[in-house]
Amino acid sequence: MRRNILPGLLIVLVAVIGNRLSPNFLDFAYLRDSATLVAELGLIAVGMNFIITSGNIDLSVGSNMVLTACITAKFMVGGMPAPLALLLGVGIGTLLGWLNGVLITYFRAPSFLITVATMAMYRGAAKALLGPQSVKAPSGIVGIDTQTFAGLTIPLLILLVTASIGAFVMQKTIFGSWVVAVGSNSRTALYSGVPVARVVRTSYTLTGFICGIAAMLMLSRLGLARHDLAMGSELDIITIVVVGGTAIQGGAANVIGSLLAFILIALLRSVMGVANFTAEYQMTIIGILLIGMVLANRLPLKLILQKLRPKSQRAP
Amino acid sequence: MKRFIVPLLVIVAAYALLPRLFTADSTNSILLWLPLVLTVALGEFLVVVAGGIDISVGSIMGFSSMTVGIVFKANPSMPLPLAILVAVVCGLILGLINGALVARAKLPPLIVTIGTLATFRGLAFLIAKGETITGSYVPDSFTKLSNHGIPLGEVTLNWLAITSILCTAAFLWFTTNTALGRSIFAFGGQPEGALRRGIAATRIQTTVYALSGAMAGLGGAMYLSRFGQAQPGSAGSGFELTVIATVAIAGTKLTGGAGSIGKLVVAAIGVSALNVALSIQGISDDWQTLVYGSVLLVMVCADSFRRRSEVVV
């Protein structure tokens, strides 16, 4: 619970700043709609939680989402019926994530190197496929982000459901415990009978599956696919996971914290939008937030708290 | 010779792709790319040998090229060595920030440099106020560094290439003849063992990130000289991929501890030749990312496969 305090405080701070900048900032419908714009990032962050907790990282998620959206849009333009194409899209995303997992576990290679390479490959494949043009999605699938249910937009509902399932899997299932075990000490986990390679592979496949869903949501929200969408989104996603309290070196997860962190990023993005920050400055602020949070998690909090207490109450 | 086979293969591939590369014109184009790739790759090489990674080099290049451009805008008659010094110092400062976060605060290098990749790009915008450094601000004498130099027949060994060769020599000397340089290899190979032998992790990590920053800063000045203009958003953007691919092609052990500067030079020539071949062949920018990504993936897999049995999980 204590891990959620900092993101909570930051949310309040950003909300206050937003309210200062624009009197209508704290309007529910406005906040809901601006959060919907980044719902895909929050969604992928749920999968990224598993990867980071297992002691790995995935830099290719944004590229995966874009390539998946581009291929699916191409198929739809080619006349494939929409429901089939959507299923295919989720399949492609899953496949690309699985490929990462297989490469990492088969070659026993550092995950950041493999995913730096696949980040370039997936994005490059999307570029090679479409060139500078964009592909329009058929009107039938456009606009899922404007439909609401129980006061929330569909992408936000999907995020909420996915995060709940993610938290459940992480905390209450064997697989979740395995992920944490692999992240805290993979050798010990292996010797205790945890199928380490399978756990890592499954985490990547799971994230790929979520990337596929996110790609379909993005396609529906924007109504088109282009190779340069979601540039640098891995920064946002990793920041959401880290701000949410998941340990960057693995072994400790907090999926619900990521949901809080998602709210923070969504608020921050819309405040920066209101303040007319350009995309590059927004990226800078997120980058500073990432480093600041990793740094804050490194602080010896217990020691500081103990120093703050009166001498008589200090532990011996 | 056998150990040079992979980087040599890239050169062969580039020339096979485009036999026209043998002409003097193409060689001159390769010599335009080589200094950029080689200079920045030298810094990245040391970081990788020390067991880290620096993916912020592209943004550091962007920042330093904007800074040099702004300095020229304010004072067009500034002596060139001073301009280059400004670039190197800019890079050095940014590199020291990376170094402090990795070495002092003990944060994972990847996370630090993802964060600074974004932050430094923003700084480039901030310092340039979002404006492009156009050709009119850059003095001719500065752009001439990239196409004038020592003529060797029809080929011109331009001043930038000469600079990068001097840097290579300096790095070679540093890694073989100084205690600090040699301990980078020891530390990258086995950090714990190196610590027990009295090698200071903080000093090594700070040094390699600072050097990587300084080289990327120099690379930024080279970028401005070669292209004659720079935009805050695109100057050096994505260059980290080229550089990391070069380091990987050079057969550098990607988990740290081993690598050779000789092979790095051959790999840098290969990558520059490939760059020229791809663009002359009309293989558009669109395919280049895919090519570099695939080459990098193959190298990472090959590097890991060789050591597969050493890793338990």
Side-chain angles (χ1 to χ4, degrees):
Chain A
M1 203 55 226
R2 235 188 48 216
R3 277 174 171 264
N4 295 340
I5 291 176
L6 195 51
L9 281 178
L10 285 172
I11 289 176
V12 174
L13 180 72
V14 174
V16 168
I17 295 175
N19 204 27
R20 273 276 174 105
L21 287 174
S22 156
N24 300 325
F25 184 77
L26 294 175
D27 173 57
F28 178 71
Y30 166 72
L31 289 180
R32 180 193 66 195
D33 293 345
S34 51
T36 307
L37 298 179
V38 287
E40 294 108 31
L41 305 180
L43 208 55
I44 299 177
V46 175
M48 185 69 93
N49 250 296
F50 285 88
I51 291 178
I52 290 184
T53 304
S54 76
N56 292 292
I57 193 119
D58 190 349
L59 297 175
S60 71
V61 280
S63 303
N64 178 343
M65 183 165 76
V66 169
L67 178 57
T68 305
C70 287
I71 295 177
T72 315
K74 261 283 208 239
F75 271 114
M76 283 178 178
V77 169
M80 186 182 267
L84 194 63
L86 291 177
L87 273 180
L88 182 81
V90 176
I92 293 168
T94 314
L95 195 70
L96 295 178
W98 172 82
L99 184 64
N100 278 330
V102 167
L103 289 170
I104 289 163
T105 52
Y106 180 75
F107 290 105
R108 293 175 195 164
S111 57
F112 73 88
L113 285 171
I114 294 282
T115 55
V116 161
T118 52
M119 168 171 77
M121 275 180 72
Y122 295 166
R123 175 85 59 184
K127 261 186 179 177
L129 188 69
L130 295 186
Q133 330 142 325
S134 55
V135 178
K136 274 202 167 156
S139 54
I141 70 147
V142 175
I144 197 173
D145 58 307
T146 54
Q147 292 167 24
T148 54
F149 180 80
L152 285 176
T153 54
I154 303 289
L156 287 179
L157 280 176
I158 294 179
L159 169 62
L160 213 57
V161 172
T162 313
S164 313
I165 297 175
F168 176 80
V169 171
M170 188 71 94
Q171 283 169 13
K172 300 286 176 196
T173 66
I174 293 282
F175 175 70
S177 318
W178 281 351
V179 170
V180 175
V182 170
S184 48
N185 189 331
S186 59
R187 192 174 284 226
T188 314
L190 185 73
Y191 294 164
S192 321
V194 175
V196 173
R198 210 174 79 206
V199 168
V200 172
R201 236 174 6 244
T202 311
S203 304
Y204 278 94
T205 313
L206 198 72
T207 306
F209 173 72
I210 296 179
C211 284
I213 296 177
M216 297 307 101
L217 289 178
M218 183 176 75
L219 200 58
S220 168
R221 178 168 63 83
L222 298 173
L224 58 82
R226 218 176 41 223
H227 76 79
D228 60 352
L229 295 172
M231 274 288 198
S233 54
E234 55 281 345
L235 175 73
D236 286 82
I237 293 165
I238 295 173
T239 308
I240 290 176
V241 175
V242 169
V243 173
T246 296
I248 194 67
Q249 67 275 18
N254 188 347
V255 182
I256 295 302
S258 296
L259 207 54
L260 269 183
F262 163 76
I263 296 173
L264 173 66
I265 297 287
L267 268 179
L268 192 60
R269 284 269 180 193
S270 67
V271 166
M272 291 191 292
V274 169
N276 273 331
F277 279 26
T278 58
E280 286 76 16
Y281 288 135
Q282 296 198 11
M283 202 169 89
T284 302
I285 303 278
I286 305 277
I288 293 174
L289 179 67
L290 171 65
I291 294 183
M293 278 310 286
V294 188
L295 213 52
N297 288 345
R298 280 279 156 158
L299 289 179
L301 203 62
K302 271 188 186 160
L303 272 177
I304 295 172
L305 284 177
Q306 203 176 18
K307 286 248 168 81
L308 288 176
R309 269 183 218 153
K311 249 186 186 156
S312 56
Q313 289 179 23
R314 274 187 207 170
Chain B
M1 203 56 209
K2 196 180 132 206
R3 291 164 52 216
F4 277 84
I5 198 142
V6 173
L8 280 175
L9 220 62
V10 175
I11 301 187
V12 172
Y15 278 82
L17 196 67
L18 191 79
R20 196 145 57 92
L21 278 185
F22 284 108
T23 61
D25 268 356
S26 305
T27 312
N28 279 327
S29 318
I30 294 175
L31 282 173
L32 280 179
W33 271 113
L34 180 66
L36 271 173
V37 176
L38 182 57
T39 308
V40 186
L42 278 171
E44 183 78 53
F45 169 80
L46 277 194
V47 174
V48 171
V49 167
I53 185 115
D54 184 354
I55 58 171
S56 69
V57 285
S59 296
I60 296 183
M61 283 172 74
F63 178 79
S64 90
S65 61
M66 297 320 289
T67 313
V68 174
I70 282 160
V71 172
F72 271 132
K73 191 175 165 183
N75 181 8
S77 59
M78 190 177 55
L80 299 185
L82 200 62
I84 292 168
L85 189 69
V86 167
V88 174
V89 171
C90 276
L92 187 70
I93 293 170
L94 298 188
L96 278 171
I97 296 176
N98 280 335
L101 288 168
V102 173
R104 299 268 169 197
K106 310 266 180 243
L107 302 183
L110 182 73
I111 300 298
V112 167
T113 52
I114 282 182
T116 53
L117 169 95
T119 312
F120 296 162
R121 182 60 64 189
L123 285 183
F125 264 84
L126 199 64
I127 193 164
K129 301 193 182 74
E131 286 166 23
T132 302
I133 299 296
T134 56
S136 56
Y137 297 137
V138 186
D140 283 345
S141 55
F142 191 66
T143 43
K144 270 186 183 159
L145 292 179
S146 65
N147 48 29
H148 285 63
I150 302 171
L152 306 165
E154 283 179 59
V155 177
T156 311
L157 192 60
N158 61 58
W159 293 115
L160 297 185
I162 294 170
T163 313
S164 67
I165 292 167
L166 290 178
C167 290
T168 311
F171 267 68
L172 208 54
W173 175 81
F174 173 65
T175 49
T176 50
N177 287 317
T178 65
L180 182 62
R182 291 165 65 106
S183 57
I184 294 173
F185 285 77
F187 174 77
Q190 211 182 17
E192 298 234 325
L195 290 184
R196 299 213 171 140
R197 303 282 304 198
I199 292 174
T202 325
R203 199 157 147 236
I204 288 176
Q205 286 181 323
T206 314
T207 309
V208 293
Y209 285 98
L211 277 178
S212 171
M215 297 315 277
L218 182 57
M222 289 177 166
Y223 181 97
L224 191 64
S225 164
R226 182 206 184 296
F227 292 100
Q229 52 97 23
Q231 289 173 356
S234 66
S237 164
F239 205 68
E240 58 277 355
L241 178 65
T242 313
V243 171
I244 295 172
T246 309
V247 172
I249 290 170
T252 313
K253 190 176 171 187
L254 293 169
T255 45
S260 109
I261 289 186
K263 281 197 269 182
L264 187 71
V265 175
V266 181
I269 296 174
V271 167
S272 313
L274 197 62
N275 239 329
V276 175
L278 288 176
S279 52
I280 297 185
Q281 192 71 307
I283 297 176
S284 61
D285 267 5
D286 296 340
W287 284 85
Q288 293 193 9
T289 324
L290 183 59
V291 170
Y292 280 117
S294 314
V295 170
L296 181 60
L297 186 67
V298 170
M299 293 312 301
V300 172
C301 291
D303 178 64
S304 306
F305 192 73
R306 257 183 288 154
R307 283 174 264 276
R308 199 164 163 260
S309 54
E310 296 167 21
V311 189
V312 183
V313 276

